[in-house]
Amino acid sequence: MRVLPAEKRWALAVATGFMVILGLPYVLAWVSTPADGVFMGHIWNPDDPCVYMAWARQAADGRLFLQDLFTTEAQNGRYTNLFFLAIGWIARVSGLSIGTVYAGSRIVCGVALLYTTYLAAAAFSSRLVVRRLAVYLVATASGLGWLYRLVDLTWPGRFGNVACVDIAYTGGQGDAITLAMPELVPAMSLLLHPHFALSMSLLLVSVVWGGRAFGGGRRRDALAAGVAAFLLGNIHTYDAIPTALALLVLAVLAWLQDRGRWRSICTSLATIALLALPPVAYQTYVFQVDAVFRQKALTVTASPSVLSYVVSMGLPLLAAAAGSAFALRCRRRRWHPLVAWAVVACAIPFLPGLSFQRKMVEGAYLPLCLLTAWIVAECAIPALHRRLRRRGRRARLQAAARVVVLMTVAACVPSLGVFTQRALSTVTDNNRSRHLPPYYMARDDVACMAWLGGSEGPRITPDAVVLLSPLSAAYLPGIAGCKVYAGHWAETLDYSRKVAEVAAVLSGRLRQDQARRFVEASGARWLLWGAVERAVFGEPDAFLAAVPHRLAHQEGKTAVYELLLGR
C-alpha cells in the first residue's frame, strides 16, 4: 500500500526521537565516569561489544578477512562481515574512533529498523493507527518480566524459577543479574547492539517484501527481499535459517490461496534464494575449513523454557495470539502471512539438533508487534467507539483512540525500563560483582593499550600475543589490534582452562620454570600490568623474576613489558 511522503517524514522523525531517548543511558554512564577513568561506551555485558570492536579494528587496519583475536590457536582467518568492515572503514577514512562510529551506527541502524517497521506495517494496513502503533511497539515493547520479578521478590518461589530474559532476572536467585536476550526484544537491541537492529530490519524486508512478491507483487519486491537476505546472510548468518523457513511457509501459503500462480511464486522464491545463498554458502565453507570458527559457532546457547519465552514476550504475544485467531476466524487473508510468520518464528528456537537455538529467536517479536497493532486497531478501538456512541460522546472518539494506543504502549514498556535500570546498576558497580570486563577502564591502562597498537608503539602484528587479566584483555584487541591469551567466554577456545592458567602464572603461584614454559607455550611476547591486574594479582614481581623482560612503555603505574624469553 502507498506510503505518502508526509508519513515517511513522520516515521523518520519519530524513529530518530526514539533513538535519541535510548541514547540517554549512555550519556548518564558517560557523565558518571570517574576522574581517572575512561567510559568504554557500553552499558551491558561489554565482552560481546569488545569482539565487535576487534573486528572493526582489523577492518580499520585494512584487513578484509577477520581473525579471532581472543584465542591463540592457529586459524585460517577467512571470516568477513560487511557491517564491521563498514565500521572500520568509516573510522579509518573519517579519523573518528571505532567506538564513536559504533555508537553512531546504533542510531542509524535503530532508525532503519523503526522506519522499516513502518513500511512493513503499511504493507498490511492502510490505517495510520496500525502503522504508527507498530513503530511504538517495536521501539518500546518488552515482556512481563517486571511483573514476575515484583511477585517473585514478594513471594519467593511461589511461581517457579522462570528466566525472564527481557529484564535479566531469574526466579529463585534473589535479585541477581542473569541472562538477558536482546535478540528476542527489538527495543533491547535498539538500546544495545546496532547490528542486531540492522539484522532485524533486513529480516523484515526479506520476509515482508518476499511475501508481497509471492502474493502478486512486482519483480522488484523479490529483488529487494533477495538483496536484504544476501546482506543478512553475511552480517548475521544465524538469521538465514528463520528467514528461509518463513519465506518457504509464505510461498506455500500463497500457493494454497491461489494455485494458478505457482510459476510466479516459484520464480520469486528462486530469485530470493539465488541472491541469498552466496553468503550462506561462504560462511558454510569457512565453518568447514576453519576449526576455530567451527568450534565457536558450535558454542551451546540453548533456548530457555517455553514459559520463559511467554513471560518475556508478554502482552504482544498474548495480543498477537488473539489477533491470529481473529484473522483466521474472520478470513482476513491479508494478515494470514503475518500469522504464519509469527507461528514459524516462535517455533524455530525449539528446533532439535541446533547448538545455537537461542539465536534463532531474533526477529520473532516483529510479527507479534505488527499483529498487536492490528488487533488493537481492529478490535479495541472500535469496541471503545461503539461504547462511546451509545453514550452519545462522539466528540471523544479520536481522543479515545489515542488513549487506547497510549495504554497499549504503556502496558508493554515497564520491562524495558526495569532492564535499563538493572543495566545501569551494573555500570555503577563497574561489574565488580559479575566477573565481567569493567565499563570504566583506568586512563593509564587505555593509554598503554593504545600505545601497543599505535604508530608510536612497537607496531605489533595481529598475531602478537599479549598477556594480561582476562577482564582487561577483552578490550585490548579492539584498541591495539593484537591477540590475547584469554579474553572472551566464547571467542577464547577452552576459556575456563586458559583463565585458570593466566591466574596461576600472573599471581606467582607457579615455579619459575613453569612460568617460563607457560610463556613459551602461549606465544606471549608482551605483558600489560595495569589497574585491573594490580587489583586482582597484586604486583608483577614474581612473574618478572621468572621471565626475562624489558620495560617497553609506562603510563603512571601501568606498564608494558616486552617478554624476551626465547629471543
Side-chain angles (χ1 to χ4, degrees):
M1 295 183 183
R2 187 181 178 189
V3 180
L4 298 175
E7 294 180 63
K8 295 179 181 179
R9 290 193 295 271
W10 179 92
L12 286 172
V14 170
T16 303
F18 271 122
M19 292 312 301
V20 170
I21 293 171
L22 289 172
L24 294 179
Y26 292 89
V27 175
L28 182 60
W30 175 67
V31 299
S32 302
T33 304
D36 60 343
V38 177
F39 175 54
M40 304 305 290
H42 315 299
I43 62 170
W44 180 255
N45 287 9
D47 47 357
D48 286 343
C50 286
V51 177
Y52 313 147
M53 297 296 102
W55 289 336
R57 169 60 197 250
Q58 293 177 72
D61 289 341
R63 301 190 62 171
L64 177 62
F65 298 107
L66 312 176
Q67 291 191 44
D68 177 2
L69 300 182
F70 294 84
T71 200
T72 56
E73 284 78 5
Q75 51 190 296
N76 293 332
R78 289 291 178 264
Y79 174 72
T80 191
N81 186 295
L82 293 175
F83 178 76
F84 296 108
L85 287 177
I87 296 290
W89 292 341
I90 292 172
R92 182 175 185 173
V93 171
S94 67
L96 297 171
S97 70
I98 291 173
T100 301
V101 178
Y102 183 77
S105 74
R106 189 183 299 113
I107 297 175
V108 173
C109 294
V111 170
L113 172 57
L114 296 178
Y115 182 72
T116 306
T117 298
Y118 190 91
L119 299 181
F124 294 97
S125 177
S126 61
R127 301 184 62 181
L128 285 180
V129 64
V130 174
R131 301 176 181 186
R132 293 183 175 185
L133 182 54
V135 173
Y136 295 150
L137 289 173
V138 170
T140 62
S142 50
L144 292 172
W146 67 274
L147 182 59
Y148 175 84
R149 173 174 174 258
L150 180 64
V151 172
D152 188 66
L153 291 176
T154 306
W155 298 286
R158 182 72 60 87
F159 297 96
N161 298 331
V162 178
C164 302
V165 295
D166 57 331
I167 63 167
Y169 178 87
T170 300
Q173 298 188 24
D175 204 21
I177 304 290
T178 57
L179 173 68
M181 290 177 56
E183 60 268 38
L184 172 66
V185 182
M188 293 171 65
S189 292
L190 293 173
L191 178 66
L192 300 176
H193 300 312
H195 71 297
F196 281 16
L198 178 61
S199 298
M200 291 184 190
S201 179
L202 294 171
L203 194 154
L204 260 178
V205 174
S206 300
V207 175
V208 175
W209 272 253
R212 284 173 56 174
F214 302 148
R218 292 163 292 188
R219 184 174 298 177
R220 69 183 187 185
D221 290 331
L223 290 174
V227 171
F230 174 91
L231 295 172
L232 184 63
N234 173 267
I235 293 171
H236 217 213
T237 311
Y238 295 111
D239 291 342
I241 297 175
T243 301
L245 291 177
L247 286 170
L248 185 59
V249 169
L250 294 189
V252 172
L253 179 62
W255 174 72
L256 291 174
Q257 292 178 342
D258 187 357
R259 301 195 180 193
R261 298 193 62 260
W262 67 271
R263 286 189 178 87
S264 174
I265 294 171
C266 289
T267 300
S268 296
L269 188 61
T271 300
I272 298 171
L274 286 174
L275 288 169
L277 278 176
V280 177
Y282 180 77
Q283 300 291 56
T284 304
Y285 159 76
V286 176
F287 180 88
Q288 295 293 333
V289 301
D290 193 330
V292 171
F293 182 85
R294 180 167 60 252
Q295 188 167 337
K296 290 189 303 177
L298 293 176
T299 300
V300 177
T301 50
S303 285
S305 67
V306 174
L307 182 58
S308 293
Y309 276 131
V310 171
V311 173
S312 301
M313 290 180 170
L315 293 179
L317 176 63
L318 303 178
S324 299
F326 182 76
L328 295 174
R329 181 169 60 86
C330 298
R331 298 183 180 180
R332 302 292 180 92
R333 293 181 59 181
R334 177 178 293 277
W335 290 86
H336 288 179
L338 202 56
V339 174
W341 178 23
V343 172
V344 171
C346 291
I348 286 175
F350 299 100
L351 287 177
L354 291 178
S355 61
F356 44 85
Q357 281 182 324
R358 200 168 71 217
K359 298 182 184 295
M360 296 294 97
V361 78
E362 183 165 279
Y365 219 61
L366 298 173
L368 303 185
C369 290
L370 292 172
L371 283 167
T372 298
W374 177 68
I375 198 65
V376 168
E378 289 289 325
C379 295
I381 293 177
L384 184 58
H385 281 186
R386 288 192 296 270
R387 187 177 184 88
L388 290 175
R389 284 195 184 98
R390 285 197 299 268
R391 296 185 177 185
R393 299 178 180 177
R394 294 179 179 272
R396 300 185 181 181
L397 294 180
Q398 189 174 9
R402 292 173 179 170
V403 169
V404 171
V405 170
L406 182 61
M407 291 177 62
T408 302
V409 174
C412 299
V413 166
S415 279
L416 179 61
V418 170
F419 171 76
T420 304
Q421 178 271 322
R422 288 167 68 77
L424 289 176
S425 72
T426 69
V427 175
T428 303
D429 179 63
N430 206 20
N431 264 339
R432 292 184 183 88
S433 60
R434 301 183 64 215
H435 199 70
L436 286 172
Y439 298 101
Y440 303 107
M441 289 286 289
R443 192 175 303 276
D444 292 338
D445 291 14
V446 175
C448 283
M449 290 181 179
W451 177 83
L452 272 170
S455 58
E456 297 180 359
R459 297 182 181 273
I460 57 178
T461 66
D463 291 324
V465 179
V466 181
L467 197 59
L468 69 169
S469 165
L471 297 180
S472 50
Y475 288 109
L476 185 62
I479 297 175
C482 59
K483 288 185 177 181
V484 295
Y485 186 69
H488 189 274
W489 64 274
E491 298 291 310
T492 300
L493 303 190
D494 204 359
Y495 178 69
S496 297
R497 175 182 63 82
K498 290 183 178 179
V499 168
E501 290 176 348
V502 170
V505 71
L506 295 187
S507 63
R509 296 200 305 265
L510 299 184
R511 299 192 311 269
Q512 290 190 356
D513 61 318
Q514 292 175 323
R516 287 193 291 270
R517 282 200 299 270
F518 169 81
V519 171
E520 289 179 337
S522 66
R525 291 297 176 261
W526 300 88
L527 171 71
L528 191 151
W529 205 274
V532 174
E533 288 71 27
R534 289 195 302 274
V536 177
F537 305 115
E539 296 300 328
D541 299 342
F543 177 85
L544 295 179
V547 180
H549 64 278
R550 74 173 182 88
L551 178 63
H553 186 72
Q554 187 164 6
E555 297 278 351
K557 293 184 178 181
T558 302
V560 178
Y561 300 92
E562 185 178 8
L563 305 181
L564 304 176
L565 195 64
R567 296 192 178 185

